[in-house]
Amino acid sequence: MYFKNFREYLSWLYFQYLLITGIYVLEPWEKSIFNSILFSAIAMVVYTSYVFIPIHLRLALEFFHEIFGGQPESTMTLMN
Amino acid sequence: MTESSGSKLLNGEACQRTLRGKNAGKNGFVKNHCVFEHPRKYRRPTERSQNAAPNSSLYKKPFSESFEETPLLVAVLTYMGYGILTIFGYFRDFLRHWNIEKCHIAHEREQQKDFVPLYQDFENFYTRNLYMRIRDNWNRPICSVPGAKVDLVERVTHNYNWTFEHTGKVVKDVINMGSYNYLGFAENTGACASAAIETTHAYGVGVASTRCEIGNLDIHEELEQLVARFLGVESSMAFGMGFATNSMNIPPLTGKGCLILSDELNHASLVLGARLSGSTIRVFKHNNMQSLEKLLRDAIAHGQPRTHRPWKKILIVVEGIYSMEGSIVRLPEVIALKKRYKAYLYLDEAHSIGALGPNGRGVVDYFGLDPKDVDIMMGTFTKSFGAAGGYIGGRKELIDYLRCHSHSALYATSMSPPVAQQIISSMKIIMGEDGSTLGKDRLRQLSENTTYFRRKLREMGFIIYGNDDSPVVPLMLYMPAKIGAFGREMLKRNIGTVVVGFPATPIIESRARFCVSAAHTREMLDTALRAISEVGDLLQLKYSRRERPLSTPGWTYEESLLQD
């Protein structure tokens, strides 16, 4: 496929999306329901990953650091 | 000496028995002396290609038939698409149930709400929620002869295919890739048409009586003799309806205590006939001779269920060309099996008569076999001859028996004389008895068109099913939305095609089916191919993962470059 411009390419991509998901045959209001559900789900996934992944990464790093990190000196404190 | 050989034998047998017991896991497993070797069992069939036939000695020319495997991703996406549409279907049914939206199609009546529901099964759901959305691709009204080109009545819908309105305009000269007009005899001018008109003046349009009573005309006798000569059989019989030829002629042939071995993709008329006959029906895999042989051997070894009496008759029912797969029956192998196991063979040549073989005499002619090896030759006049009705050919005893016992001979009105005349004229043209080479030309044109069209589509990278010589060309679409999109986009480009979806095919194997005709010129085919390629790019239909021949860049790429 050759495209004149980016816009045409985008419209072709949207057409492929319509065909593969099967919503090409749906009525416009059904299409908008499907799109809004799908895109809100994607948006939520993106948002949650933006919010929570850094926290989880930090926690994981700390956890592994504790396991594999060097022996902390504090465990060798004197008992007197 | 004798003792030792005896014990050897016994030991050998015992060994065999234990081995067999281990392998089969049940008694009475039929010994393996099959004509056709079983292929290795645990091979993963990457491609259902049948290029290398195991019994190539039976064929006079290469028999190449292929069914490329569905790409996995496409299959997954197809199921996903059906899943989404099904969810929306349930949603719409929910809205209809609570009267939030109006139901346009037949539904349960208020007064009958405590009765058994009538519109609840899957087929109704499918019609309401999937078929109706793309219904504009089917049942398009036409207003001209459905020859190589056809005029369509333009129609629009304002409520998403629930109702249609005619705009009063006509879509002119749509290239017709959907009619079973293999030899191009669907014409309203020419020798056949004028002969039919003359016959109408001489005989009228019908006598409204059965052949047994006062409906038998000399033109029918003439037709039957001609059909018998055309097929190379002793005798034949013509019926006014092709579907009834199948569904009403199997019941007199077989009955209780008989076995019918039927191909899994046989046409509905054959299935109906087999069911009406009351015989036991067993289904073998499509065109799979190992499967057929296994069923035959089991049938002979075990006989009827429970009583174990031998079957009275075993009838193998196959078609010449399968209209949805475009495959040709492996007739030489079927005949070899039939002879070896003493079964009868019923061959439905609905699509193959006229369309195959150097003389247009169907699949028997195509393989160069003797028509007498086929016990019952059935076919229709609807396709290649541009008429209506069907015939049965075979030995004289068979035809005489059918004349007395067939329901469609006893109770149906006889064929209309103009229709009979159309068949006589077109058949004589095919046989060359009109003193011209028109018939030969048409046959040659059809086979050239078929080869050309199939080769081009394959080169473009579509998945094409079936035999290389079959004029029925299925092009795989797979996804539900692409069925609708393909039909609409092709009509926009002024080409009429048939798209086929679920009830006629397995749910994921939706396809478009082209029927090549002798009436198509090379220019028409090129126009159609260009449009198909364009739509194929637009809808991403070029699924084939076969290596395409590199040496033929051809006009398609150049032209598509120019267009873009």
Side-chain angles (χ1 to χ4, degrees), chain A residues 1 12 16 21-22 28 30, chain B residues 85 92 133 160 537-538 540:
Chain A
M1 292 295 281
W12 181 79
Q16 295 308 312
T21 52
E30 287 171 312
Chain B
L85 291 182
R92 294 297 289 272
R133 295 179 191 275
Y160 301 101
D537 282 332
L538 181 68
Q540 293 290 293

Side-chain angles (χ1 to χ4, degrees), chain B residues 413-428:
Chain B
T413 48
S414 61
M415 189 185 269
S416 171
V419 174
Q421 184 58 50
Q422 161 80 17
I423 302 161
I424 292 172
S425 318
S426 53
M427 200 173 271
K428 278 189 173 160

Side-chain angles (χ1 to χ4, degrees), chain A residues 14-53:
Chain A
Y14 180 66
F15 189 58
Q16 295 308 312
Y17 159 75
L18 290 183
L19 285 175
I20 287 171
T21 52
I23 60 171
Y24 170 82
V25 300
L26 298 185
E27 291 168 27
W29 64 273
E30 287 171 312
K31 265 182 208 162
S32 48
I33 288 178
F34 182 83
N35 283 337
S36 41
I37 290 174
L38 186 72
F39 286 116
S40 53
I42 290 173
M44 276 190 271
V45 167
V46 169
Y47 178 72
T48 35
S49 49
Y50 171 73
V51 171
F52 290 106
I53 281 184

Side-chain angles (χ1 to χ4, degrees), chain B residues 505-553:
Chain B
T505 65
I507 195 133
I508 73 157
E509 292 184 4
S510 310
R511 59 197 73 178
R513 190 187 54 189
F514 305 104
C515 293
V516 182
S517 160
H520 290 135
T521 60
R522 191 48 73 85
E523 290 76 53
M524 286 182 204
L525 286 185
D526 279 340
T527 319
L529 284 165
R530 240 188 327 267
I532 294 166
S533 177
E534 213 180 298
V535 176
D537 282 332
L538 181 68
L539 308 186
Q540 293 290 293
L541 294 172
K542 299 181 175 174
Y543 298 117
S544 180
R545 291 168 301 175
R546 280 206 187 118
E547 284 173 27
R548 293 179 213 169
L550 293 169
S551 56
T552 49

Side-chain angles (χ1 to χ4, degrees), chain B residues 380-437:
Chain B
T380 59
F381 301 123
T382 325
K383 279 103 186 177
S384 300
F385 303 101
Y391 64 80
I392 286 212
R395 293 173 55 200
K396 190 159 184 313
E397 291 89 337
L398 170 83
I399 302 301
D400 287 347
Y401 172 78
L402 280 180
R403 267 186 220 286
C404 310
H405 291 90
S406 160
H407 302 307
S408 53
L410 286 172
Y411 304 119
T413 48
S414 61
M415 189 185 269
S416 171
V419 174
Q421 184 58 50
Q422 161 80 17
I423 302 161
I424 292 172
S425 318
S426 53
M427 200 173 271
K428 278 189 173 160
I429 292 176
I430 298 171
M431 292 163 86
E433 286 188 4
D434 63 331
S436 70
T437 58

